[in-house]
Amino acid sequence: AEAPAGASAVFVSLPGETRPRPVTVDWRGARPVVRCPAATRAGFATVTAGPDTLGQVALGVPGVESGLRLQDPKAWAARLTAAGLTVAGDLTGTAAAQAGRRLRGLDLSPWFFLLTVAVLLLELWVGRGAGAPARAGSG
């Protein structure tokens, strides 16, 4: 189907990009289906038609699906210094940073879900024991 009469071209401003990119709008009856270029950074994408903002979408790009590379610590410190900020220390050699490097790009949601279920079952088991009536002593 075709766009309604008087509809402007639709563009999207993706995070980290300076110029808007065209969006393809397919109409299925009165419902538009929007297709735009893939984002390479997390942030906000703004969809516009002429001077009107049609919407804003928060984008979170999973590390597994993106070609993003984290900035080298020295380059990052140089950028901060150039901006007039002082780098107090470098924590990239710490154990937490090592664990972060190992976990980068992994989907941990199934493990957190299982952990949540395990904690819930433990709470139910403990609660059932605490709520049991006191047994009369035999004697």
Side-chain angles (χ1 to χ4, degrees):
E2 298 231 351
S8 300
V10 179
F11 291 92
V12 64
S13 298
L14 295 172
E17 295 189 9
T18 56
R19 63 179 180 84
R21 297 173 69 181
V23 171
T24 304
V25 181
D26 296 324
W27 290 87
R28 296 192 181 145
R31 186 175 150 231
V33 178
V34 178
R35 289 183 176 77
C36 69
T40 57
R41 291 184 57 185
F44 289 94
T46 305
V47 181
T48 58
D52 299 322
T53 300
L54 301 178
Q56 198 170 42
V57 178
L59 303 175
V61 181
V64 172
E65 297 177 6
S66 72
L68 297 178
R69 298 285 180 256
L70 293 178
Q71 195 170 31
D72 179 271
K74 290 178 184 173
W76 177 77
R79 280 184 56 211
L80 288 178
T81 304
L85 300 171
T86 304
V87 178
D90 182 1
L91 300 177
T92 56
T94 62
Q98 299 292 336
R101 263 189 234 106
R102 285 194 187 104
L103 296 176
R104 183 175 49 207
L106 296 178
D107 181 11
L108 300 177
S109 56
W111 294 104
F112 285 120
F113 175 74
L114 290 174
L115 178 63
T116 303
V117 169
V119 169
L120 177 63
L121 290 174
L122 177 66
E123 287 178 348
L124 290 172
W125 180 72
V126 169
R128 187 174 51 168
R135 296 184 185 188
S138 59

